[in-house]
């Protein structure tokens, strides 16, 4: 039997323009510049205006633009005048923030020089090696990670040499080149296969003393006890005094666990943080600015203007001209949507950051982290009447330059807890106090989590031991046993 049913559903679907806006909002400045460049390359109707372009382009005025929709249309229905404007400056530019070309530093420093791996390869020229051994040595250097460690098995390297370099060798030859060539190069410790070997290589290249000899023996025979700081077991095993052990451990602590990291320029170019906002104190008031790279001046390319004018002025319009105008109309639609999305992105970023700045005004005026208020995403979302997800997109990947350094915006958000006075305090404040307590403790008798809990209680912060452990782990502070010093 056939039945008919009525069902009501409330659906909320995002338009392509809304999706595009959300994606743009979450992009930091450098990623936004890449997206802008990509959009200009894909849409020939878009053009970014340079300083030398101000005199000669007839710009696209989006206030005069009439959205014709996505339905099929005839070219005779297109009013070309709606796409052309003789205004030298479109109105959307006047509505955006004005920036001077010298408002901020526009040059980005780039890493240069010789990389860590290139330096090692250049050292190979000081050895007398035949072609096969030189190829194997270069392959080993290329297999080191940025810390200088060889993380792969020798057998795997032998197989790779056969497949990629057409070098047929065995484990003994590769091992010999690793030990006699790679591990003797500067900085000492490169080519090690684990931390123990790395530290031992460095100690063996030092003048032999009683402390160094003891340190080598501890690393070779009692590495596990050393890592876990079982100092009493080490004293009993080697029948030494506490002072002897302290001297040996002191020699180990002077070593570099990541020899590759000591080189000035590694093969990985350091990422530069470009602040999305700048907050300054001007005449006792906070002044917020959006990075000018987030406010590009877009217009319609001169070629598209000329094509539209040519179509408008021609008496007989051919089919190819009509097809071209339809193509132009689609590209102009996409350009208009993109320009609108950029404008909304600027407004959303400024609105959100301004609300954060006002909420944390005491901190931005003084730089004192103790004055950071408990603040969650919902607090800002309610204030600016936007969705929490929008605030999250702004906060998670954006940086702000302040008089106290460049800060990640999400670091200003924290949960709240009650102190013994019943006042709401930021968990960030509690973490800072916990960090200070640990730094001031007696390292010979470090505080356990129970004692840290008691210390915080004495300061007026009543929290559970498991919460102390959670905050300690978030601060990358090891347990008491691993903080112990002899």
């Amino acid at each position: 039997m056939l039945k008919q049913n009525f069902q009501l559903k409330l659906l909320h679907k995002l338009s392509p323009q809304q999706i595009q806006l959300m994606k743009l909002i979450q992009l930091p400045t450098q990623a936004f510049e890449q997206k802008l460049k990509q959009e200009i390359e894909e849409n020939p109707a878009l053009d970014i205006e340079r300083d030398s372009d101000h005199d000669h382009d007839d710009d696209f005025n989006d206030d005069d633009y009439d959205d014709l929709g996505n339905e099929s249309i005839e070219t005779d229905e297109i009013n070309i005048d709606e796409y052309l404007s003789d205004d030298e400056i479109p109105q959307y530019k006047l509505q955006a923030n004005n920036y001077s070309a010298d408002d901020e530093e526009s040059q980005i420093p780039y890493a240069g020089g010789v990389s860590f791996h290139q330096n090692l390869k250049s050292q190979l020229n000081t050895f007398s090696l035949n072609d096969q051994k030189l190829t194997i040595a270069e392959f080993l250097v290329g297999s080191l990670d940025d810390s200088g460690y060889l993380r792969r098995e020798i057998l795997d390297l032998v197989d790779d040499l056969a497949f990629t370099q057409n070098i047929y060798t065995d484990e003994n030859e590769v091992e010999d080149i690793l030990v006699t060539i790679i591990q003797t190069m500067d900085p000492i410790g490169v080519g090690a296969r684990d931390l123990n070997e790395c530290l031992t290589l460095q100690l063996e290249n030092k003048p032999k003393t009683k402390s160094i000899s003891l340190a080598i023996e501890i690393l070779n025979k009692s590495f596990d006890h050393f890592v876990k700081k079982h100092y009493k077991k080490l004293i009993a095993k080697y029948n030494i005094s506490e002072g002897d052990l302290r001297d040996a451990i002191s020699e180990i602590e002077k070593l570099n666990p990541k020899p590759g990291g000591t080189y000035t320029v590694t093969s990985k170019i350091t990422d530069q943080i470009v602040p999305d906002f700048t907050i300054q104190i001007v005449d006792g008031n906070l002044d917020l600015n959006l990075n000018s790279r987030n406010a590009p001046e877009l217009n319609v390319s001169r070629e598209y203007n000329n094509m539209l004018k040519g179509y408008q002025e021609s008496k007989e319009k051919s089919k190819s001209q009509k097809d071209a105008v339809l193509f132009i109309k689609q590209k102009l639609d996409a350009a208009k949507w993109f320009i609108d999305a950029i404008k909304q992105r600027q407004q959303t970023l400024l609105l959100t950051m301004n609300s954060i700045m006002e909420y944390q005004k005491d901190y931005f005026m003084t730089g004192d982290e103790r004055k950071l208020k408990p603040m969650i995403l919902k607090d800002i979302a309610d204030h600016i009447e936007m969705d929490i997800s929008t605030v999250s997109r702004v906060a998670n990947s954006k940086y702000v330059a302040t008089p106290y350094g460049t800060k990640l915006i999400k670091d200003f958000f924290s949960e709240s807890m009650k102190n013994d006075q019943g006042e709401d305090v930021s968990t960030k404040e509690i973490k800072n106090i916990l960090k200070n307590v640990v730094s001031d403790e007696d390292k010979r008798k470090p505080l356990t989590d129970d004692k840290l809990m008691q210390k915080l209680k004495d300061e007026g912060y009543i929290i559970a031991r498991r919460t102390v452990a959670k905050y300690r782990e978030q601060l990358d502070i090891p347990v008491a046993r691993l903080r112990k010093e002899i």
Side-chain angles (χ1 to χ4, degrees):
M1 181 182 293
L2 297 176
K3 292 184 179 180
Q4 289 184 335
N5 293 318
F6 290 98
Q7 188 176 11
L8 296 178
K9 287 185 178 180
L10 186 62
L11 299 177
H12 181 218
K13 292 185 178 181
L14 294 176
S15 68
Q17 292 77 24
Q18 289 175 312
I19 296 173
Q20 184 182 51
L21 174 61
M22 291 298 101
K23 290 182 177 179
L24 286 176
I25 287 176
Q26 69 185 10
L27 295 178
T29 297
Q30 288 178 306
F32 172 72
E33 287 181 316
Q34 293 297 322
K35 174 63 178 176
L36 181 63
K37 181 180 178 182
Q38 177 186 349
E39 193 73 22
I40 291 173
E41 290 175 351
E42 294 177 355
N43 188 351
L46 270 176
D47 192 17
I48 189 165
E49 186 171 293
R50 309 297 179 186
D51 292 340
S52 58
D53 296 336
H54 286 296
D55 316 322
H56 54 68
D57 277 344
D58 294 319
D59 296 307
F60 171 55
N61 186 334
D62 87 25
D63 281 348
D64 294 335
Y65 177 86
D66 181 24
D67 189 0
L68 299 175
N70 295 321
E71 66 276 4
S72 177
I73 61 172
E74 297 294 332
T75 53
D76 293 339
E77 298 175 14
I78 300 179
N79 184 352
I80 301 300
D81 291 331
E82 293 177 350
Y83 291 86
L84 295 174
S85 172
D86 294 328
D87 294 340
E88 291 188 359
I89 303 178
Q91 189 173 352
Y92 82 85
K93 292 182 183 178
L94 299 176
Q95 293 173 347
N97 289 335
N98 294 318
Y99 296 93
S100 170
D102 57 357
D103 275 350
E104 56 192 66
E105 181 61 46
S106 59
Q107 295 182 349
I108 299 177
Y110 292 94
V114 181
S115 72
F116 167 62
H117 292 83
Q118 288 171 338
N119 174 54
L120 293 179
K121 286 184 178 180
S122 67
Q123 292 183 50
L124 291 175
N125 296 326
T126 62
F127 296 90
S128 179
L129 302 172
N130 59 34
D131 291 343
Q132 174 160 321
K133 288 188 176 182
L134 179 60
T135 302
I136 295 173
E138 289 179 344
F139 190 82
L140 287 172
V141 168
S143 300
L144 302 180
D145 63 15
D146 289 337
S147 296
Y149 286 85
L150 183 66
R151 303 292 187 181
R152 303 187 61 199
E153 295 294 332
I154 297 295
L155 183 59
D156 294 337
L157 295 174
V158 171
D159 292 338
D160 282 353
L161 281 165
F163 283 111
T164 64
Q165 305 295 322
N166 201 28
I167 297 291
Y168 295 94
T169 182
D170 55 34
E171 293 180 67
N172 292 333
E173 184 178 15
V174 175
E175 177 90 22
D176 181 67
I177 293 174
L178 174 66
V179 173
T180 61
I181 305 297
I182 306 300
Q183 292 184 354
T184 61
M185 294 196 296
D186 185 61
I188 298 299
V190 297
R193 283 154 286 189
D194 53 40
L195 177 60
N196 191 345
E197 186 177 17
C198 177
L199 298 178
T200 302
L201 284 171
Q202 296 176 58
L203 287 173
E204 288 176 344
N205 277 271
K206 288 188 172 186
K208 291 296 183 290
T209 64
K210 180 182 177 181
S211 299
I212 290 178
S213 298
L214 177 59
I216 293 174
E217 190 171 0
I218 289 174
L219 292 179
N220 287 336
K221 299 180 180 178
S222 306
F223 186 72
D224 191 54
H225 287 338
F226 166 73
V227 170
K228 294 180 179 179
K229 297 192 174 183
H230 292 159
Y231 296 142
K232 291 183 179 180
K233 292 182 180 180
L234 290 173
I235 291 173
K237 180 175 181 178
Y238 294 103
N239 192 25
I240 55 177
S241 67
E242 189 174 288
D244 292 336
L245 180 59
R246 186 185 301 112
D247 293 339
I249 291 175
S250 177
E251 293 293 342
I252 297 175
E253 289 175 343
K254 296 175 184 177
L255 306 177
N256 186 358
K258 296 181 179 181
T262 60
Y263 204 70
T264 307
V265 180
T266 65
S267 59
K268 185 183 293 184
I269 296 177
T270 304
D271 293 332
Q272 186 202 26
I273 294 175
V274 178
D276 302 87
F277 306 93
T278 301
I279 293 179
Q280 296 175 315
I281 301 176
V282 180
D283 297 330
N285 295 312
L286 294 175
D287 180 52
L288 173 66
N289 287 299
L290 180 65
N291 190 319
S292 61
R293 299 182 190 180
N294 292 288
E297 294 185 349
L298 298 176
N299 57 3
V300 177
S301 67
R302 180 191 295 181
E303 289 78 8
Y304 267 51
N305 271 328
N306 292 339
M307 290 172 64
L308 287 175
K309 287 180 180 178
Y311 178 82
Q312 187 181 40
E313 294 170 358
S314 64
K315 295 180 181 179
E316 295 183 2
K317 298 176 173 56
S318 65
K319 185 178 183 302
S320 61
Q321 285 179 314
K322 293 180 180 180
D323 292 341
V325 170
L326 285 173
F327 174 79
I328 292 172
K329 187 264 176 187
Q330 294 172 354
K331 294 301 180 182
L332 290 177
D333 284 342
K336 190 263 180 182
W337 292 337
F338 190 69
I339 290 172
D340 282 347
I342 288 178
K343 186 166 63 174
Q344 291 180 55
R345 177 182 186 272
Q346 296 170 23
Q347 294 170 349
T348 303
L349 293 183
L350 281 170
L351 184 63
T352 305
M353 189 62 220
N354 187 70
S355 179
I356 294 172
M357 181 182 72
E358 292 299 326
Y359 202 100
Q360 302 288 5
K361 185 175 181 179
D362 291 341
Y363 165 75
F364 287 114
M365 291 296 292
T366 63
D368 187 352
E369 290 192 352
R370 291 174 298 178
K371 294 189 177 182
L372 279 172
K373 298 179 182 178
M375 179 178 70
I376 58 176
L377 296 174
K378 189 175 184 300
D379 295 330
I380 302 301
D382 291 344
H383 184 257
I384 63 177
E385 297 181 348
M386 288 188 177
D387 193 82
I388 292 178
S389 63
T390 302
V391 178
S392 176
R393 286 184 172 90
V394 174
N396 281 339
S397 57
K398 306 291 188 302
Y399 288 84
V400 56
T402 72
Y404 324 105
T406 300
K407 310 288 186 181
L408 185 61
I409 295 174
K410 72 174 183 180
D411 289 345
F412 298 126
F413 291 85
S414 62
E415 298 286 343
S416 64
M417 295 190 69
K418 299 282 186 183
N419 61 11
D420 57 355
Q421 304 295 322
E423 301 170 338
D424 285 332
V425 293
S426 170
T427 54
K428 193 175 184 71
E429 177 181 341
I430 298 175
K431 289 179 183 178
N432 285 336
I433 294 174
L434 177 61
K435 188 190 300 183
N436 293 334
V437 170
V438 171
S439 65
D440 294 338
E441 71 183 357
D442 181 3
K443 296 304 180 184
R444 293 173 62 88
K445 296 180 180 179
L447 300 172
T448 62
D449 288 345
D450 285 322
K451 292 181 179 178
L452 289 174
M453 178 188 69
Q454 186 59 46
K455 285 279 187 181
L456 290 173
K457 184 178 180 181
D458 295 341
E459 294 285 341
Y461 304 99
I462 304 173
I463 58 177
R465 187 198 61 80
R466 62 179 180 275
T467 307
V468 172
K470 181 179 74 171
Y471 290 169
R472 176 179 53 72
E473 291 171 359
Q474 290 174 352
L475 293 169
D476 290 329
I477 298 175
V479 296
R481 177 172 52 81
L482 298 181
R483 300 199 307 272
K484 185 177 181 181
E485 295 178 2
I486 190 168

